[in-house]
Amino acid sequence: MDMRIGRRVSRGMLPLLALQTFSEYYRSERKPPITAALIAANTLIYLRPAFLEPFIPPIDEVWFNPHLILKHKDLKRFFLSAFYHIGEPHLVYNMLSLLWKGIQLETAMGSVEFASMVASLLALSQGITLMLSKSLLLFFDYERAYYNEYAVGFSGVLFAMKVVLNSRSEDYSYVHGIIVPSRYAAWAELILIQMLVPGVSFLGHLGGILAGLLYLRLKGTNSGSNPLTILIRGLTRAVNWPLKFLCDLFRFQRGRISGRGTVGGNRTGSTAQSGVWRCQACTYDNSDLLSVCEMCGTGRTGNGLSSLQWNHDSDGIPLDELRRRRINRFGRW
């Protein structure tokens, strides 16, 4: 039974995808949001609902074609082609694979690390595929077969995710009915899909496997951290360092020039703060670089106290005297 969803006519596979996704998330203790968002994004791009039509380029503008990408430096084709699919079976097969791999990886890694990994694998797989097709053209003159090939789909990223997921597994996996060690499952699937499914992108899948291996290598040499996370952290530090240096320099110059302090409540003895002396007259804490009180102008003695002695007959200096000194000091009322 056909069913119209958005601008596409579903033949019953999309409702099954929705049901399977709901079932997996219902049974899962954690609900991985990035995996769900990726499935939703791929599905919405395929369905092209009317309210998103102005924002979704047609598939003719995003085909992954090495010749056009290099000729026009077309980043739209480079990145967006992974999120497009040419038919319902293509979409559903990839999304079910993403559902299975994404839930496991995101639950184990955390959503932030998983999102960073997916972005890294997307860029690496597309970049490696581009380099492979260009190399085949330069060294073997394979122009028509690979350099001018048109391809779309998320399968390159999925092959890379399979490599990451099975990298330390000692188990065995079924690949189209054949039992193979899990760590080699991606290579077996690469060969079998190429034999059983005509028209698939061999270089796109191979680029995904190589991207997964490169990602693991980079992650291993950087003490287990995500390469993209390391890059972002490094850029953040590079931007923050001059700002931190300027802020520290400004604070140092401000403290050195102005000697700002605080008015304390203890009127006898010096403050315990290093590099600060307390005026005996007004209890203002001054910088050690100053010889007179910044607040009232009272001179500093050798013991760290102000030279003015308290009037034992009263609670402090007369108000008129303090007022006169502050006027003389600051030149204003």
Side-chain angles (χ1 to χ4, degrees):
M1 179 180 177
D2 294 349
M3 182 185 306
R4 179 168 292 278
I5 304 177
R7 294 183 175 273
R8 300 280 187 174
V9 175
S10 173
R11 303 190 182 278
M13 299 186 69
L14 287 178
L16 290 177
L17 171 63
L19 181 62
Q20 183 68 23
T21 303
F22 176 79
S23 175
E24 290 293 333
Y25 270 77
Y26 180 78
R27 290 185 299 174
S28 177
E29 293 183 3
R30 296 184 61 184
K31 320 297 182 187
I34 304 301
T35 300
L38 288 171
I39 294 174
N42 279 271
T43 305
L44 285 174
I45 289 175
Y46 174 76
L47 293 176
R48 302 182 66 86
F51 69 94
L52 291 178
E53 186 73 23
F55 308 102
I56 302 178
I59 194 171
D60 291 336
E61 296 181 5
V62 298
W63 287 102
F64 186 91
N65 180 274
H67 170 69
L68 295 177
I69 291 174
L70 294 176
K71 180 180 180 180
H72 303 292
K73 298 180 177 57
D74 196 342
L75 294 180
K76 182 169 63 174
R77 292 181 183 271
F78 185 85
F79 288 108
L80 294 185
S81 57
F83 298 94
Y84 283 69
H85 295 82
I86 58 176
E88 191 172 344
H90 186 204
L91 171 71
V92 172
Y93 181 84
N94 278 353
M95 292 305 100
L96 289 176
S97 179
L98 173 60
L99 177 66
W100 183 74
K101 297 179 179 71
I103 287 180
Q104 295 183 75
L105 288 170
E106 188 172 355
T107 301
M109 302 171 64
S111 296
V112 175
E113 187 76 10
F114 177 73
S116 178
M117 182 199 71
V118 171
S120 300
L121 295 180
L122 173 63
L124 288 173
S125 62
Q126 300 288 76
I128 291 174
T129 302
L130 194 65
M131 292 174 57
L132 288 174
S133 60
K134 184 65 174 179
S135 300
L136 289 173
L137 172 68
L138 293 177
F139 296 110
F140 302 101
D141 198 25
Y142 284 174
E143 179 176 358
R144 185 173 181 180
Y146 296 111
Y147 192 63
N148 286 314
E149 181 182 65
Y150 288 84
V152 290
F154 209 69
S155 53
V157 180
L158 293 174
F159 268 90
M161 291 173 63
K162 181 186 285 286
V163 172
V164 175
L165 182 62
N166 295 328
S167 59
R168 296 184 179 180
S169 176
E170 300 295 335
D171 297 332
Y172 289 83
S173 300
Y174 282 92
V175 180
H176 299 282
I178 300 176
I179 301 177
V180 296
S182 294
R183 65 177 61 189
Y184 303 117
W187 291 103
E189 188 172 357
L190 170 69
I191 298 172
L192 289 173
I193 286 183
Q194 195 67 30
M195 294 171 57
L196 301 175
V197 183
V200 297
S201 174
F202 176 77
L203 281 190
H205 295 169
L206 178 61
I209 294 176
L210 296 179
L213 295 173
L214 179 59
Y215 172 85
L216 291 173
R217 183 61 181 267
L218 292 174
K219 190 175 181 181
T221 47
N222 289 285
S223 304
S225 298
N226 190 310
L228 184 61
T229 304
I230 295 170
L231 177 62
I232 295 174
R233 188 182 297 122
L235 291 174
T236 303
R237 288 176 179 173
V239 171
N240 286 341
W241 183 84
L243 295 177
K244 185 177 182 298
F245 174 77
L246 292 175
C247 289
D248 292 342
L249 182 62
F250 175 75
R251 291 194 190 100
F252 173 76
Q253 293 294 340
R254 183 181 178 187
R256 181 178 179 182
I257 295 173
S258 66
R260 293 287 179 182
T262 58
V263 177
N266 183 6
R267 296 196 177 198
T268 59
S270 61
T271 178
Q273 186 177 355
S274 176
V276 176
W277 62 274
R278 178 164 293 174
C279 176
Q280 193 80 356
C282 65
T283 72
Y284 187 77
D285 291 338
N286 297 275
S287 170
D288 217 12
L289 301 173
L290 301 177
S291 58
V292 294
C293 177
E294 188 180 16
M295 179 63 71
C296 65
T298 302
R300 178 186 179 188
T301 59
N303 60 359
L305 305 177
S306 59
S307 59
L308 181 67
Q309 299 299 320
W310 285 99
N311 184 351
H312 296 286
D313 298 332
S314 63
D315 190 40
I317 299 176
L319 183 61
D320 291 342
E321 177 65 14
L322 276 176
R323 186 164 178 251
R324 184 187 64 79
R325 291 185 180 187
R326 288 171 180 168
I327 292 172
N328 292 336
R329 175 68 175 162
F330 297 104
R332 62 178 184 274
W333 293 86

